[in-house]
Amino acid sequence: MPLPPLTRTHWKDKQVLILGLGQYPKGSGVSAALLFARLGARVTVTDLKTKKSLAANVKQLQRFKNVRFVLGRHDLADVRNADLIVPNQRVRQEAKEIMLARTLGIPVQTEMALFLNACPARVIGITGTRGKSTTSALIAHILAGKKGRRVWLGGNILVSPLTFLSRVKPNDDVVLELSSFQTEWLGDARPVDIAVVTNLMRDHLNAYGSMEEYAEAKAQIFRHQTPAQTVILNRDDAYGRLWIKEAPSHVRTFGTRDVIGIPPTRLPLLGEHNAMNIRAAIEASKAAGVSIATIRHRIKTFTPLADRLETVAVKKGVRYVNDTTATTPDGTIAAVNALAPLTKGTLWLILGGADKELEYAGLAKTLKKNQAHLHLLLLPGDASAKVTRAIRSLRLMTTPVNDIRQAVMIARQQSAKGDIVALSPGAASFNQFANEFERGKAFKTLLK
């Protein structure tokens, strides 16, 4: 049964449970809580983290008398009393709270489903293992060059679309970056008008039972589309080729054979992986009705996102690159392939962290090709142990470090003019940081 419209008339005094407040200031949990608090609902905000670790987001909500907090735990009584449950994107569908709600017939909708069902504008949704943030930002930048349409960018890019829902007009465009944890819930939402899948690589296998389960979570971005809608798929990707045959909507494709039409020296993004992101953005923008001339002009004026092959400093001829969002081996492979040709001396690679049940044999092959110009600084963590085993037969310079501070200190002391120092961990950060963005921030702070 569809939910009532998001108006005060329909939600005043209704019981709404926000399952997972989250720590990002514009994230899914806090944004949903703010929405329903303003609509006059009786909002219960619950999270397994403590009030102290969620202090900033708790502060955003404390001014509302119709908001109560249950922090450090979840209480099933709150589930039973709810008229609606809004789970944070990292809450899994098999969680006992969600299973109980389904049993009791209590509606469960994520902030993304709430947004899509209420959004009056065209929506372009982007998912994939690698490149979804850059592709999303680039598509938004290109669409902003088309006169007469305002463009909104949100989703997994750390801005919940609920933060701008009330300002979206029918003639606008909305661009959403979507993680697998967001796409897997999209069966309750109206489909995006243009779906983009950049690629499918091994990731999050600590959360999904298999690669097939992970891939199917991603595929939900187009599974419910209509023939009038469009999906953009990577024909060089194994899953992309499979989905070309299965998609219910109009299929457009991109691949390495596509001509970008801009000299490589004029492209604002490094690496072949970013060339693929550009190709995906071109195809999506064409599907949205943007002329190729406008697309190429806008690409040349795009500013790369932070935390993704981001040059943050050049000191004494040494280039320091923050690629903290490389949380998988494939991400680090892309970084090495992009940076190694630019290195006149040594590529100092800060690598390792928490494992996500991924394999590092492919990364080892890439490191072997470049071993004469590499020095690995291995961070603590079980992923680093996997890397060490994978490169055991290689003649690579490696130095174990206690933390990023020590890695930066060693690199600054021993690097020479023409070297590159890159934080591209190929692993999660949970053993030392709350998330990869805190890791990147620490790296940049150390360089100041």
Side-chain angles (χ1 to χ4, degrees), residues 277-315:
N277 295 335
I278 291 171
R279 292 180 178 107
I282 289 172
E283 204 59 40
S285 301
K286 285 162 59 178
V290 184
S291 70
I292 193 65
T294 298
I295 290 170
R296 288 173 177 164
H297 170 71
R298 297 295 291 178
I299 288 171
K300 288 185 282 189
T301 61
F302 178 67
T303 301
L305 295 176
D307 299 316
R308 298 153 180 88
L309 287 179
E310 173 193 15
T311 297
V312 294
V314 178
K315 295 177 179 287

Side-chain angles (χ1 to χ4, degrees), residues 184-226:
E184 70 179 46
W185 291 88
L186 291 184
D188 294 329
R190 69 105 159 164
V192 299
D193 299 288
I194 300 173
V196 182
V197 186
T198 58
N199 48 56
L200 239 293
M201 304 172 185
R202 294 177 70 86
D203 195 8
H204 296 304
L205 297 188
N206 56 335
Y208 294 96
S210 65
M211 187 64 187
E212 288 69 29
E213 184 181 333
Y214 169 59
E216 190 54 33
K218 291 284 192 187
Q220 296 306 302
I221 195 171
F222 66 82
R223 286 284 189 221
H224 311 283
Q225 284 186 307
T226 68

